[in-house]
Amino acid sequence: MTIKKIKYHRVYEDVIEQIENLILEGNLAPGDVLPTERELAQAFGISRGTLREAFRILEREGLIETRPGGGRFLSKNLNKAEDKSRIIENIERATIIELLEAREIFETGIVELAAKRATEQDILEIETALEKWGKIDSDSDDPTSPDQAFHLSIAKATHNVVLVNLIDLHMDLLQKTLNKTVDIPGRKDEVYKEHFNILQAIKEKDPSKAREAILYHLKQVKQNILSTTNGR
Amino acid sequence: MTIKKIKYHRVYEDVIEQIENLILEGNLAPGDVLPTERELAQAFGISRGTLREAFRILEREGLIETRPGGGRFLSKNLNKAEDKSRIIENIERATIIELLEAREIFETGIVELAAKRATEQDILEIETALEKWGKIDSDSDDPTSPDQAFHLSIAKATHNVVLVNLIDLHMDLLQKTLNKTVDIPGRKDEVYKEHFNILQAIKEKDPSKAREAILYHLKQVKQNILSTTNGR
DNA sequence: GTGGGTAATTGGGTGATCCAATTCCATCGG
DNA sequence: CCGATGGAATTGGATCACCCAATTACCCAC
């Protein structure tokens, strides 16, 4: 039997959940005013202070708005507000396979764009990132952040903030798993070579060559990950 | 002179900002224990209750962790915690051009995958979504959500949660702008036709045909948007 | 040392209390 | 009759004193 962490129960979290449920069940409509702090506190059987902690969170998430002296009411765009944080949470729960698959799709697009658009300055930054990767020795504590930096520098060459941030997010989520693959003997040099080829294609402004280079790289990464994990 | 909205000043927001600054300036390192509630409250010159409201937020954002009876300490991965919410904010600030460009990249990948993987059930759901789009009349108040549903149903056919959520996010962000393009005379029927072609290609399990169909559709969408806006 | 018990510390939560902004309504003036 | 006005009640913002439960630190017996 596995050992479960005992999670401390916070009252305010219950309250948040209950209020969220009320909203989702449609018992409360956008724009509706909520009962007063004092009423709700009594109804929930908790103190005003605790209730307000819950409201602070709901406020931050955009579910409710507060008019001091006036009252609290549901904000109009309740669904979207919550969706956005949920989207990231959903992505976090994805399997590595799914992440890699998505990454393959948009990183091929990124390198193609980068090959078309990279300025001399962009290329310089990619080179710098590549060199940092070359310098790390395997005892270094965090070998993936240079890798992140390399892929990020390429994304930046597209001059598209959406693509930059998507890669950013993905590298973050993959980081823990990627760490393990660097330990594979000889893998570090291979990665350097693969990165080098990508850079080369971008320098030559050859989108299809860049595409092939990143596809090969991602294929290797995938293989290495699968050999060190069980796919989650 | 323009009239500025008077923003109500919440004490707890100040506290959050100050603590965040302390962290960013490096005066506090990951893992460090924070002073006790009582000490900090006194230092800030506020009550414990207010201070705790601030901590609730910081806790939710993953910056700090709390051990009841133990104390509060900075969580190890402070940078990432904040990054994640920032990533979405960054994407929200992107121009429409950038959004469309990114979407082109990964929606082509999505339809290709969908064409390979769609089950009969998936195709049924895409058809249903398409029919709903056919039924709306232009006076309807929200013509884009059927459009969203269509593209979302295709993403679902990839059986990859990452791709589903990425499309979800993008459609959300594009929604406001897309609304306008439907008003263009005759555009509604064209969109139906374009959607139909995409579905057809998926039914035929023909990835490259699906790719062409979505590329054509996105090209049209882009043109229509550019004709109704000025690119932001 | 090790284990266990005890006291101090710390966050969790409550309730009474005051303040400031908002809302509501009765009142007054035209 | 109707709109402006000026309190009074209401409501969220914040504080303070207080108690509880979990954690921690420490000392002592073995």
Side-chain angles (χ1 to χ4, degrees):
Chain A
M1 162 187 172
T2 57
I3 295 174
K4 283 182 203 158
K5 243 187 195 162
I6 293 165
K7 76 168 175 195
Y8 200 85
H9 208 60
R10 264 102 168 186
V11 176
Y12 81 96
E13 286 186 337
D14 271 2
V15 177
I16 290 178
E17 205 175 320
Q18 281 203 49
I19 295 180
E20 280 181 345
N21 284 338
L22 281 179
I23 295 170
L24 293 177
E25 287 168 16
N27 297 334
L28 293 171
D32 280 5
V33 291
L34 299 175
T36 68
E37 255 183 38
R38 292 166 174 83
E39 275 180 65
L40 266 181
Q42 200 176 1
F44 281 123
I46 60 175
S47 71
R48 274 183 73 203
T50 306
L51 180 63
R52 304 181 71 215
E53 292 180 7
F55 275 136
R56 286 282 108 95
I57 304 283
L58 292 170
E59 212 174 297
R60 267 254 154 167
E61 291 184 350
L63 275 174
I64 63 168
E65 285 172 42
T66 303
R67 235 187 346 246
R72 289 202 172 86
F73 55 95
L74 262 65
S75 65
K76 276 100 194 174
N77 49 353
L78 36 74
N79 40 353
K80 267 192 272 176
E82 219 188 332
D83 272 4
K84 275 171 203 151
S85 50
R86 245 187 241 298
I87 281 172
I88 291 225
E89 281 170 28
N90 287 338
I91 293 180
E92 279 176 347
R93 273 191 227 102
T95 61
I96 293 166
I97 305 288
E98 289 174 305
L99 274 173
L100 284 174
E101 191 172 85
R103 183 176 162 195
E104 186 174 313
I105 288 177
F106 66 76
E107 197 158 11
T108 50
I110 286 175
V111 293
E112 286 178 335
L113 265 187
K116 288 180 198 160
R117 293 190 185 156
T119 65
E120 283 185 23
Q121 182 61 34
D122 292 331
I123 289 174
L124 249 168
E125 280 178 28
I126 301 174
E127 278 176 338
T128 312
L130 178 62
E131 288 320 313
K132 275 194 187 137
W133 166 263
K135 271 185 214 136
I136 59 162
D137 71 286
S138 41
D139 295 339
S140 164
D141 41 0
D142 185 10
T144 44
S145 61
D147 185 55
Q148 279 192 38
F150 176 75
H151 290 276
L152 205 58
S153 67
I154 293 178
K156 279 183 185 153
T158 66
H159 300 277
N160 181 318
V161 290
V162 178
L163 297 174
V164 173
N165 280 282
L166 285 182
I167 273 289
D168 205 354
L169 178 62
H170 267 66
M171 298 300 291
D172 238 33
L173 297 177
L174 282 171
Q175 183 171 24
K176 277 182 197 138
T177 318
L178 285 175
N179 261 325
K180 295 181 197 156
T181 70
V182 189
D183 293 336
I184 298 173
R187 179 66 191 139
K188 197 190 139 226
D189 291 337
E190 281 177 30
V191 170
Y192 180 84
K193 188 96 188 169
E194 288 161 22
H195 281 183
F196 181 83
N197 288 338
I198 298 168
L199 169 60
Q200 201 57 31
I202 293 175
K203 267 181 168 172
E204 294 170 11
K205 305 214 170 295
D206 186 339
S208 62
K209 187 175 170 187
R211 178 191 178 84
E212 292 312 312
I214 190 83
L215 273 177
Y216 179 77
H217 176 52
L218 292 178
K219 193 177 135 200
Q220 298 303 315
V221 170
K222 191 171 172 182
Q223 267 182 18
N224 280 291
I225 286 180
L226 292 185
S227 73
T228 52
T229 69
N230 291 324
R232 165 122 219 131
Chain B
M1 158 186 173
T2 57
I3 294 174
K4 283 182 205 159
K5 242 188 194 162
I6 293 166
K7 75 167 173 193
Y8 200 85
H9 209 58
R10 262 101 166 192
V11 176
Y12 83 96
E13 286 186 337
D14 271 3
V15 177
I16 290 177
E17 206 174 321
Q18 282 203 50
I19 295 180
E20 279 181 348
N21 284 339
L22 280 179
I23 295 170
L24 291 177
E25 287 167 15
N27 296 336
L28 292 172
D32 279 5
V33 291
L34 299 174
T36 69
E37 254 184 39
R38 292 165 173 86
E39 275 180 67
L40 265 180
Q42 200 175 2
F44 280 124
I46 61 176
S47 71
R48 270 182 74 203
T50 306
L51 180 63
R52 305 182 70 214
E53 292 179 8
F55 275 136
R56 287 283 107 96
I57 304 284
L58 293 170
E59 209 174 296
R60 265 252 154 172
E61 291 185 351
L63 275 174
I64 63 166
E65 285 173 40
T66 303
R67 237 189 345 245
R72 289 203 172 84
F73 55 97
L74 261 64
S75 64
K76 275 100 194 176
N77 48 353
L78 38 72
N79 40 355
K80 269 191 273 172
E82 220 185 333
D83 273 4
K84 275 173 202 150
S85 52
R86 247 188 240 298
I87 281 173
I88 290 229
E89 282 169 27
N90 286 339
I91 293 180
E92 279 176 349
R93 275 192 226 101
T95 62
I96 293 167
I97 306 287
E98 289 173 305
L99 274 173
L100 285 174
E101 192 171 87
R103 183 177 161 194
E104 188 175 312
I105 287 176
F106 65 76
E107 198 159 10
T108 50
I110 284 175
V111 294
E112 286 178 337
L113 264 189
K116 287 180 200 160
R117 293 189 187 159
T119 64
E120 284 185 23
Q121 182 61 32
D122 293 330
I123 289 176
L124 249 168
E125 278 177 29
I126 301 174
E127 277 176 338
T128 311
L130 178 63
E131 287 320 311
K132 275 192 189 140
W133 165 262
K135 274 186 208 132
I136 60 163
D137 70 287
S138 40
D139 295 340
S140 164
D141 41 2
D142 187 8
T144 43
S145 62
D147 185 54
Q148 279 192 39
F150 176 76
H151 290 276
L152 204 58
S153 66
I154 293 178
K156 278 181 186 155
T158 65
H159 300 276
N160 180 319
V161 291
V162 179
L163 297 174
V164 172
N165 280 282
L166 285 181
I167 273 288
D168 204 357
L169 177 62
H170 266 66
M171 298 301 292
D172 237 35
L173 297 176
L174 282 171
Q175 182 171 24
K176 277 179 197 141
T177 320
L178 286 175
N179 261 324
K180 294 180 197 157
T181 69
V182 189
D183 294 337
I184 298 174
R187 180 64 190 137
K188 196 190 139 230
D189 292 337
E190 282 178 29
V191 170
Y192 180 83
K193 188 98 190 173
E194 288 161 22
H195 280 183
F196 181 83
N197 288 337
I198 298 167
L199 169 59
Q200 202 57 34
I202 293 176
K203 267 181 168 174
E204 296 170 11
K205 306 217 168 291
D206 186 338
S208 62
K209 188 175 170 188
R211 179 191 178 86
E212 291 313 312
I214 190 84
L215 273 176
Y216 179 76
H217 175 51
L218 291 177
K219 193 176 136 201
Q220 298 303 315
V221 170
K222 191 170 173 182
Q223 268 183 19
N224 280 291
I225 286 180
L226 293 184
S227 72
T228 52
T229 69
N230 291 322
R232 169 125 214 125

